[in-house]
Amino acid sequence: YMNDGIFKLEGRDPSGSFIQFEKAYLLYPTENTANGLLISYLKAFQLKTKKDTSHAILLAKLSRFSKYEISKDLITGEFINSTNTLLFENGKTSEYADYFNSLVHHLKNNEIKEEISFTYQYETGRYYYNQGKYFQAQPFFERALELKPNNQDVQGIYLQILERSLRLSS
């Protein structure tokens, strides 16, 4: 599997390569197979320009290589890039939700999971808030507040939403 992974990596088939390296790592978990796996994940991730669930799964798999300087900031930064592309540039809220759910499902690190979850809740709430859809934004800001109750931005926007809701209800 390792030799085939190397062959596919050299043949510019990083997706096929990481599948072979995953098999090799399961059978023989050494530093060399881990290095091959990391390289094939990175190549596949770099070539994957579409922000979809397979992109999210690759990002989650990369997050497991913190030992190899794949930092929490790198993972959350990539998620923020996907947020900008899917949500703010293209307005694809359902695809963004699918991306987020797939990523969180495959993440192993709870600290990264929490940061990604906060970003998702906050940015989705902000997306609806900026469109004047306050009732749609409210549950996202509530969940963001549960994750980070001391965040001043979330508190301020949430209070504005509550104020507008009270005005409209009277």
Side-chain angles (χ1 to χ4, degrees):
Y1 292 123
M2 190 160 167
N3 287 337
D4 193 37
I6 293 168
F7 177 75
K8 288 182 188 251
L9 192 60
E10 290 173 350
R12 296 194 178 24
D13 180 13
S15 296
S17 175
F18 79 70
I19 290 169
Q20 296 303 84
F21 275 112
E22 284 175 341
K23 293 175 190 175
Y25 189 79
L26 284 173
L27 296 171
Y28 195 64
T30 65
E31 199 74 25
N32 285 340
T33 52
N35 284 332
L37 190 56
L38 174 60
I39 290 167
S40 62
Y41 281 154
L42 283 171
K43 290 251 187 216
F45 188 78
Q46 289 169 345
L47 293 175
K48 186 91 176 125
T49 56
K50 185 177 181 191
K51 309 289 188 199
D52 56 8
T53 54
S54 62
H55 186 271
I57 292 169
L58 276 170
L59 184 58
K61 288 181 177 185
L62 280 170
S63 74
R64 298 174 190 164
F65 289 90
S66 59
K67 175 180 168 184
Y68 297 93
E69 296 185 24
I70 303 294
S71 68
K72 174 188 135 193
D73 293 338
L74 182 104
I75 302 301
T76 55
E78 281 297 326
F79 180 70
I80 290 169
N81 288 340
S82 299
T83 299
N84 289 333
T85 300
L86 290 171
L87 192 61
F88 292 110
E89 290 174 14
N90 298 317
K92 297 181 177 181
T93 55
S94 63
E95 287 181 29
Y96 180 57
D98 291 342
Y99 186 94
F100 163 74
N101 289 324
S102 183
L103 178 60
V104 167
H105 176 73
H106 289 91
L107 282 171
K108 302 289 185 214
N109 184 314
N110 287 329
E111 185 182 349
I112 295 173
K113 240 185 222 191
E114 188 175 300
E115 189 65 34
I116 296 287
S117 295
F118 173 78
T119 300
Y120 172 77
Q121 301 300 335
Y122 176 73
E123 295 297 352
T124 305
R126 195 166 66 92
Y127 173 78
Y128 288 122
Y129 178 83
N130 289 342
Q131 293 179 344
K133 298 177 180 177
Y134 306 118
F135 291 111
Q136 284 179 285
Q138 187 172 348
F140 291 102
F141 281 111
E142 286 172 356
R143 283 181 240 138
L145 267 174
E146 288 172 8
L147 292 167
K148 292 189 179 182
N150 296 325
N151 186 293
Q152 295 295 308
D153 291 334
V154 177
Q155 288 176 0
I157 294 172
Y158 187 67
L159 288 173
Q160 288 176 2
I161 288 172
L162 288 177
E163 177 205 358
R164 289 183 177 156
S165 297
L166 289 171
R167 270 193 209 160
L168 291 173
S169 67
S170 61

